[in-house]
Amino acid sequence: DTAVSQTPKYLVTQMGNDKSIKCEQNLGHDTMYWYKQDSKKFLKIMFSYNNKELIINETVPNRFSPKSPDKAHLNLHINSLELGDSAVYFCASSHGRNRGKNTEAFFGQGTRLTVV
Amino acid sequence: GESVGLHLPTLSVQEGDNSIINCAYSNSASDYFIWYKQESGKGPQFIIDIRSNMDKRQGQRVTVLLNKTVKHLSLQIAATQPGDSAVYFCAENIRNSGGSNYKLTFGKGTLLTVNP
């Protein structure tokens, strides 16, 4: 009964390759996110989608392209991978603003991306 | 820059003691705050939240205090157990510039170590 699931859990790839990370949530949430966590554990938002519409793009390089085929899925495609892309990427979802109030985000287990 | 930060990057306590993790934020417009716990190899897990119209909220063994005057947030864990060892993050919901969208912004995190 995984609420937010992302695949793969580990991803090792060479520089210059293109890779995708998939995310699915079964919580019925309208809003989904991608976060990047660096080696110092700092969590930074990358993108946010609400009902398949991009609402937040935090000046992420164009090599990163999120895609939301429906509100339960938010995939992340990365082109021309660079060494600096190595990090743990977390998918999350929430109700967003529910009855005018913010609600908490639920996170997946993360995808550890290593670019060599 | 980021508006949420933590005073203590690491905290070591004895089992059974109470723990206090602090967090400072700078966005006075933030109206919703969350504490997350992240265990090794896992995604952030919701612990407790608080809205800006409150100054205290209690959960099971945890209490969050909000001081809007000095923009300070704290998490108190009573009778700390080895299973509480993790990285703890405070997060605030900040309205995206010019819109009605909100993004969850995380602080730097505090590593809590509980010694048996």
Side-chain angles (χ1 to χ4, degrees):
Chain A
D1 290 355
T2 305
V4 182
S5 60
Q6 49 184 113
T7 56
K9 188 172 173 62
Y10 299 97
L11 185 54
V12 181
T13 187
Q14 289 186 323
M15 282 175 55
N17 283 350
D18 304 338
K19 291 293 179 184
S20 293
I21 307 172
K22 295 185 177 182
C23 179
E24 176 182 5
Q25 55 94 4
N26 62 4
L27 297 167
H29 290 160
D30 294 330
T31 305
M32 295 186 72
Y33 314 83
W34 278 108
Y35 279 81
K36 179 180 180 180
Q37 186 171 46
D38 62 23
S39 58
K40 297 181 180 178
K41 298 291 187 181
F42 189 69
L43 267 164
K44 185 170 173 59
I45 190 168
M46 300 172 68
F47 301 103
S48 174
Y49 270 72
N50 183 270
N51 277 322
K52 303 190 297 177
E53 180 185 350
L54 178 66
I55 56 174
I56 292 175
N57 182 338
E58 287 290 299
T59 59
V60 178
N62 291 337
R63 298 182 296 105
F64 291 78
S65 53
K67 283 191 171 51
S68 182
D70 55 62
K71 73 174 191 177
H73 295 83
L74 180 62
N75 303 322
L76 183 65
H77 188 75
I78 315 171
N79 289 325
S80 302
L81 278 155
E82 300 177 357
L83 292 176
D85 297 332
S86 296
V88 181
Y89 292 84
F90 286 99
C91 177
S93 71
S94 74
H95 279 299
R97 293 278 281 182
N98 187 1
R99 298 180 183 177
K101 293 185 176 180
N102 292 306
T103 58
E104 73 272 24
F106 293 80
F107 284 77
Q109 293 295 291
T111 296
R112 181 174 292 279
L113 172 65
T114 303
V115 183
V116 297
Chain B
E2 300 301 324
S3 65
V4 179
L6 289 167
H7 296 306
L8 299 171
T10 60
L11 178 64
S12 184
V13 300
Q14 290 299 121
E15 182 177 358
D17 287 352
N18 296 333
S19 302
I20 299 176
I21 301 172
N22 296 301
C23 176
Y25 66 95
S26 60
N27 193 320
S28 58
S30 295
D31 62 358
Y32 182 56
F33 305 87
I34 309 172
W35 280 101
Y36 281 91
K37 172 186 180 183
Q38 186 179 23
E39 296 174 281
S40 180
K42 297 184 178 180
Q45 180 183 11
F46 171 87
I47 301 174
I48 192 168
D49 59 1
I50 189 167
R51 303 193 186 279
S52 58
N53 61 350
M54 304 172 68
D55 53 20
K56 180 179 180 179
R57 190 156 190 236
Q58 287 183 293
Q60 189 176 12
R61 287 200 303 118
V62 295
T63 300
V64 55
L65 299 178
L66 175 62
N67 186 330
K68 294 182 288 293
T69 303
V70 295
K71 299 191 188 73
H72 185 266
L73 197 66
S74 69
L75 177 70
Q76 300 177 1
I77 305 174
T80 315
Q81 303 168 359
D84 294 328
S85 294
V87 177
Y88 289 81
F89 294 94
C90 64
E92 63 177 312
N93 245 342
I94 300 175
R95 180 177 293 194
N96 223 28
S97 58
S100 60
N101 299 312
Y102 289 76
K103 61 178 181 179
L104 199 60
T105 298
F106 283 76
K108 290 185 172 63
T110 293
L111 174 62
L112 174 66
T113 303
V114 182
N115 303 308

